[in-house]
Amino acid sequence: MKLLRHLPQASGPALLGSFASLASQALFAAFLLKLFEPAAVGVFSLVNQVAFSWATLALAQSPLSLLADRADPAHGARRAWLASAVRMVWLLPLAALAWFWSSPATGFHASPLAWLAAIAITQMTWALAQSLVLRTGPGLSIFLVRCVPPALAVLIAGVGAFAFPRSEPTALLLAAVVGYAVGSLWLFPTLSARAPVEPGDAAQADGHDDRSSRLKLVHTLFDLASATLIAVQWTRVWGPVEAGYLLVLLRVYGFVPALVHTAWAQVLLSKGEARVRSSVAVGAACCAIVLVLGLLVQAALAFGWLAPEWAALRRYIWPLAIWQMAACLFGSLSHAPFLAGRARAYSLQCIGVDTMLLGLLVLAPLVQVAPGDWIMVVAGCMTGALLLQAAHFRALAR
């Protein structure tokens, strides 16, 4: 309770909106497990991951720079969106290559690239909208921009499960597109304002982000390459069913580190505050949330709440949970390098961790082990790397 009383002003609405979004994500994950077949979940997760990677690489960390920037946020948001849209166009061949490399059994008739493009464009715009609203909007807008899109996606997915075949991902893809599109509405007034728009990064040297545009793009490229390859390579090596097991749990757990990063670290960065002890406490609390989620998934399997096809999910539960707990601690302190003037070193460290993960994924078809064994290796290496980074961030902030 003492921690809650000392939260930054914008953290209240951000936390409430993010927790509401977390509840929606949990319900969405329950729908994935209960209403759809594993192959459909695997294909949806792959499309969503490739689109996320495409949008994030196009953004090149513009939402983070928009928070750290001290210049006019509306003008910065317009420039960031235009530059991101241009990058998205020339990154189209990479997105197409990632999709066709995985060669999944799609099970739906609409063009995969059309779904990829729709999800990527709307997700890119929503990401910038969240940063802009966090800097300029009232508490109600901060709350709504975070919770409305995932809540709407849950509603559409639930209805779509009865309107479309459950063996196909069409309802899930439609839910994602509509949810992100509604989230994009918070940025439209800024984009349509009559003001000169210049391509370039959203943030320049006025803020805490002293990295070059090239380094930010390279950092984003490595982040997205590792996040995309884990979906693509798992599908290619072990098939869409095993990929469904892996990706659905990453979706369930992964929202929690994202929560602590967006509702805590980004707020502190926008205010220029470190709050080391509070950051560690928030990270530990989010670790407990991941633990509870793992126990709930374990209970769902033990009590037969899930279809028999999900029985093999249990070998992924705890390796991925421990990995995401470490990610929570990492995320809670991720603002510290920026405030300490070490953003460049932060990016170089993250690129090193991404390189390790990429190597492990490339080795996957060569080691010839079961996917349950290999996920323990991957999760163990990532847990150690993230904990080392978190300890270093804490030392920087002292």
Side-chain angles (χ1 to χ4, degrees):
M1 295 301 297
K2 183 178 179 181
L3 174 63
L4 292 176
R5 289 196 299 269
H6 290 85
L7 286 174
Q9 183 177 5
S11 275
L15 281 170
L16 289 175
S18 297
F19 275 120
S21 181
L22 175 61
S24 298
Q25 292 282 346
L27 185 56
F28 193 88
F31 284 178
L32 291 179
L33 294 169
K34 194 70 176 177
L35 298 181
F36 297 91
E37 297 181 6
V41 173
V43 172
F44 163 72
S45 299
L46 177 62
V47 172
N48 197 57
Q49 182 59 58
V50 173
F52 169 79
S53 300
W54 187 9
T56 307
L57 186 56
L59 284 166
Q61 302 200 2
S62 293
L64 187 61
S65 295
L66 184 58
L67 291 173
D69 188 18
R70 299 297 96 190
D72 175 52
H75 182 61
R78 288 192 295 270
R79 292 196 309 174
W81 190 91
L82 178 62
S84 299
V86 171
R87 282 190 293 264
M88 180 166 282
V89 171
W90 59 258
L91 287 169
L92 172 60
L94 287 179
L97 178 62
W99 171 261
F100 290 116
W101 174 259
S102 64
S103 301
T106 58
F108 65 105
H109 301 293
S111 170
L113 286 179
W115 287 114
L116 284 172
I119 293 175
I121 292 170
T122 52
Q123 190 174 56
M124 178 192 78
T125 309
W126 182 44
L128 286 171
Q130 291 179 77
S131 291
L132 179 65
V133 171
L134 186 58
R135 284 198 60 190
T136 65
L140 181 61
S141 294
I142 295 173
F143 171 76
L144 292 176
V145 74
R146 292 167 183 262
C147 69
V148 169
L152 183 60
V154 168
L155 177 62
I156 295 174
V159 174
F162 299 94
F164 298 96
R166 300 187 183 186
S167 59
E168 300 179 3
T170 308
L172 298 172
L173 295 168
L174 182 63
V177 170
V178 174
Y180 292 138
V182 170
S184 301
L185 295 177
W186 273 269
L187 193 65
F188 280 179
T190 297
L191 295 179
S192 60
R194 292 186 178 181
V197 179
E198 303 173 5
D201 290 333
Q204 303 298 330
D206 292 351
H208 301 293
D209 192 349
D210 59 351
R211 297 169 297 173
S212 66
S213 298
R214 180 177 298 177
L215 179 58
K216 288 191 287 186
L217 185 60
V218 171
H219 182 173
T220 306
L221 176 61
F222 272 83
D223 280 352
L224 269 297
S226 59
T228 303
L229 189 62
I230 195 168
V232 170
Q233 193 76 337
W234 225 267
T235 303
R236 185 175 180 86
V237 176
W238 288 295
V241 174
E242 287 291 337
Y245 298 147
L246 171 73
L247 297 175
V248 73
L249 282 181
L250 283 177
R251 186 180 186 88
V252 172
Y253 298 149
F255 183 77
V256 185
L259 167 71
V260 72
H261 180 71
T262 57
W264 180 258
Q266 287 188 4
V267 173
L268 292 181
L269 178 59
S270 68
K271 305 301 180 184
E273 302 176 11
R275 302 198 182 195
V276 181
R277 294 179 61 183
S278 297
S279 296
V280 173
V282 167
C286 288
C287 287
I289 294 174
V290 175
L291 177 63
V292 170
L293 290 174
L295 291 172
L296 288 174
V297 176
Q298 187 79 46
L301 290 172
F303 291 104
W305 297 338
L306 302 179
E309 293 86 354
W310 290 101
L313 184 70
R314 61 172 41 89
R315 59 178 175 248
Y316 289 89
I317 294 175
W318 296 114
L320 293 178
I322 294 171
W323 175 3
Q324 296 307 304
M325 287 179 193
C328 289
L329 294 172
F330 168 89
S332 69
L333 292 160
S334 60
H335 62 290
F338 292 86
L339 299 181
R342 300 294 300 275
R344 177 179 172 81
Y346 164 82
S347 282
L348 293 176
Q349 290 174 10
C350 292
I351 289 170
V353 174
D354 288 334
T355 302
M356 177 190 69
L357 179 56
L358 289 169
L360 291 171
L361 294 171
V362 170
L363 285 174
L366 304 177
V367 295
Q368 296 183 348
V369 298
D373 295 331
W374 198 240
I375 193 57
M376 293 180 66
V377 174
V378 172
C381 291
M382 289 301 297
T383 298
L386 291 171
L387 289 178
L388 285 174
Q389 282 188 283
H392 177 63
F393 296 164
R394 187 171 182 232
L396 284 178
R398 286 177 179 173

